[in-house]
Amino acid sequence: MTEKISRRTLLSLLAAALLSFTGILTETSMNVTFPELTRLFGVTLDTVQWLTTGYLLMVTIVMATTAFLLKKFPSRNLFIFAASAFMLGDLLCATAPNFSLLLGGRIIQAMSTGLSTPLMFHIIFTQIPKGRIGSMTGLAGMVISLAPALGPTYGGVISSIASWRLIFWLVLPIVLIALFLGARYINIAPLGIKESFDFISLLFLAGTLTAFVYTVSKAASFKLTSPQFLIPLILGVVLLILFIITNSHGTNGLLDLSILEQATTSLSAFTYFSLQFINIGISFVIPVYCQYVLHTSAMVAGLTLLPGSLLGALVSPFAGSIADAKGYGMPIKIGLVSLTLGGLIFVLAQPWLSALIITIGFCVLRFGFNMGFSNSISNATLNVARENTADANSFFNTLQQFAGSIGVGIMAAIMASSQNRSGGTFVTRSYTGGRYDYLFVTILAVLALVAAIINFRIQKHQTPLNR
């Protein structure tokens, strides 16, 4: 007999899903406008990409706080704050007269997504019956994987027929609906913990993530042995060590890294990181590649991602149902094989790439991504102790956003590094950058597949802790 989910739970989940969808949609909707924005604001590609990288970086930092916030404060209050932050940032972006204010608006919006996405999973893991978790995380995975791929299509269509500023105006009604539903139906009581928040660990974590992302962004303009590259890299390593020390020895760690002592959790984390890195990274590269190399319009560049996005939307709940019935190993491994094949299409067929072939390759990639993505976090959560559910949720969502942020940064750095070299036409240099990006994605997919195979071999010999 199918376990019933209450109407209140479904509507509260819908509210969080709408806010998450809107926030993640805007992550990539600006990607197709980057060539226009570089001309409009007089900045380079590796600078304008901070609209996505900076956004994801702030989301990552905020998500790191959610394990504490969800235990300390009522979920309704957190949701109302998140929706309000999104609307404020959205209005600032829609009216921004310069690049700095546009980036500032994106950073404010990022605070919203940093709260809403973990809250969506928190509702699932605390309010949904165990027998339905796979299916519901499949739906959640559909939201957070469909949105970034739909973003370029949405942004491309809007910027082609009107102003890019309309991208922000059109999402406001969705956020208002989400705010109404969330304020009315979200009602998960906090645990009432008395520990104070670990601001020192958060400061070190924020510094670590920022230093690493900044280092990656400099790789496009400076040699790997230059002070401009090495100084932020070394600073990032030092801050990471300080974070681990303070986070492990404080009375209330920001992120419970002890969950990574389990080999299965660490392997799941690497797989999850790789999936999101490829998802967000390739969604950045394809529209840029289409415009720079294939000379398509922003609309066509965005539309190449649409069929794959729709396919992913259909696959994600199906993948969750397979996991509920057959276990998580099957859909995750099938997904990673498909992801690898998708990467190979881009690598091997690059000399003949057209908008149609790119669309087909992206469909294969998206099928693989959606088969594995939400199942990876579900599998990891069910393999930690029940009292660590919120910690696993917070860590994996933080990891997800950092993967997107560093993914865009690395892909942009590879492309920009090639474009900034002398010799050959700009199109030729962009083509070369695309080749390295596609190869990087394929290698990472293979490594994630190997990690998953090892992971499920280990799981065969142990009992899940959170069933």
Side-chain angles (χ1 to χ4, degrees):
M1 181 177 178
T2 303
E3 297 172 276
K4 188 174 181 180
I5 304 173
S6 70
R7 177 174 175 270
R8 171 178 285 275
T9 298
L10 289 174
L11 289 173
S12 65
L13 189 56
L14 175 62
L18 285 174
L19 187 56
S20 295
F21 177 86
T22 308
I24 300 171
L25 179 73
T26 61
E27 284 182 12
T28 54
S29 62
M30 296 298 288
N31 286 357
V32 295
T33 69
F34 284 177
E36 178 185 356
L37 294 177
T38 56
R39 295 189 296 269
L40 178 63
F41 294 122
V43 294
T44 60
L45 178 64
D46 51 332
T47 297
V48 79
Q49 62 88 23
W50 277 93
L51 290 175
T52 298
T53 299
Y55 180 95
L56 291 171
L57 183 60
M58 178 55 70
V59 171
T60 306
I61 294 169
V62 173
M63 279 187 174
T65 70
T66 55
F68 174 85
L69 295 176
L70 289 171
K71 297 175 184 177
K72 185 75 172 180
F73 301 105
S75 54
R76 178 185 288 120
N77 294 357
L78 294 174
F79 183 84
I80 291 174
F81 174 82
S84 301
F86 184 92
M87 289 187 289
L88 175 62
D90 195 68
L91 291 173
L92 184 57
C93 289
T95 58
N98 55 54
F99 180 77
S100 296
L101 287 178
L102 178 60
L103 180 60
R106 300 294 291 132
I107 297 301
I108 295 173
Q109 283 185 310
M111 297 172 64
S112 170
T113 306
L115 290 171
S116 62
T117 304
L119 180 56
M120 176 173 62
F121 281 101
H122 187 61
I123 293 171
I124 292 173
F125 292 132
T126 59
Q127 305 294 304
I128 300 296
K130 288 290 186 289
R132 301 287 299 277
I133 283 181
S135 300
M136 297 309 293
T137 53
L139 290 172
M142 178 182 70
V143 170
I144 61 179
S145 61
L146 175 64
L150 277 180
T153 303
Y154 168 69
V157 171
I158 296 302
S159 62
S160 295
I161 64 177
S163 168
W164 58 268
R165 297 180 186 275
L166 196 60
I167 291 172
F168 298 102
W169 289 114
L170 291 179
V171 297
L172 273 177
I174 300 177
V175 180
L176 288 172
I177 294 171
L179 177 59
F180 171 78
L181 292 174
R184 185 177 178 87
Y185 294 108
I186 294 179
N187 186 27
I188 303 176
L191 296 179
I193 60 174
K194 297 180 179 180
E195 293 91 343
S196 59
F197 185 71
D198 191 351
F199 283 103
I200 300 299
S201 291
L202 178 62
L203 181 64
F204 286 140
L205 177 63
T208 299
L209 300 178
T210 303
F212 285 147
V213 173
Y214 181 80
T215 300
V216 168
S217 72
K218 290 302 175 184
S221 305
F222 300 96
K223 294 181 179 180
L224 300 186
T225 55
S226 67
Q228 292 88 344
F229 180 85
L230 289 177
I231 291 175
L233 176 62
I234 294 172
L235 177 62
V237 172
V238 171
L239 290 172
L240 176 61
I241 294 172
L242 291 174
F243 165 71
I244 293 174
I245 293 173
T246 57
N247 186 74
S248 302
H249 293 82
T251 57
N252 182 42
L254 184 66
L255 292 173
D256 188 354
L257 300 180
S258 66
I259 61 174
L260 296 177
E261 294 174 2
Q262 288 182 252
T264 56
T265 305
S266 296
L267 291 167
S268 293
F270 176 74
T271 299
Y272 195 67
F273 174 91
S274 302
L275 284 165
Q276 185 68 340
F277 182 108
I278 294 171
N279 176 45
I280 300 297
I282 204 71
S283 295
F284 164 82
V285 170
I286 288 176
V288 171
Y289 185 89
C290 284
Q291 292 179 80
Y292 284 150
V293 178
L294 304 183
H295 303 297
T296 68
S297 67
M299 179 183 293
V300 172
L303 287 173
T304 58
L305 303 181
L306 182 59
S309 303
L310 297 177
L311 175 64
L314 296 174
V315 166
S316 195
F318 172 69
S321 298
I322 293 177
D324 283 338
K326 303 291 185 180
Y328 291 96
M330 179 188 294
I332 291 175
K333 286 185 282 190
I334 289 174
L336 289 167
V337 169
S338 179
L339 201 70
T340 302
L341 291 175
L344 286 172
I345 290 175
F346 284 94
V347 171
L348 300 178
Q350 190 185 7
W352 306 278
L353 281 184
S354 63
L356 177 60
I357 296 176
I358 286 176
T359 301
I360 294 171
F362 186 67
C363 283
V364 178
L365 276 168
R366 289 293 299 183
F367 173 83
F369 170 79
N370 285 93
M371 284 292 289
F373 184 64
S374 60
N375 283 326
S376 293
I377 187 174
S378 296
N379 178 64
T381 302
L382 292 173
N383 279 280
V384 299
R386 189 176 300 275
E387 59 268 22
N388 292 126
T389 297
D391 298 301
N393 181 18
S394 179
F395 176 78
F396 272 76
N397 277 287
T398 300
L399 187 67
Q400 165 206 331
Q401 294 301 322
F402 180 64
S405 179
I406 203 73
V408 171
I410 289 177
M411 296 296 219
I414 292 173
M415 176 67 76
S417 177
S418 181
Q419 291 175 341
N420 293 339
R421 291 174 182 169
S422 59
T425 65
F426 182 77
V427 172
T428 301
R429 299 195 302 269
S430 298
Y431 177 94
T432 301
R435 181 173 68 228
Y436 291 134
D437 274 335
Y438 299 142
L439 184 60
F440 191 96
V441 161
T442 305
I443 292 173
L444 187 59
V446 171
L447 294 175
L449 175 59
V450 172
I453 292 172
I454 296 172
N455 189 0
F456 286 101
R457 284 183 178 176
I458 295 174
Q459 289 186 36
K460 281 185 179 179
H461 304 289
Q462 67 180 34
T463 303
L465 299 175
N466 189 10
R467 292 290 187 184

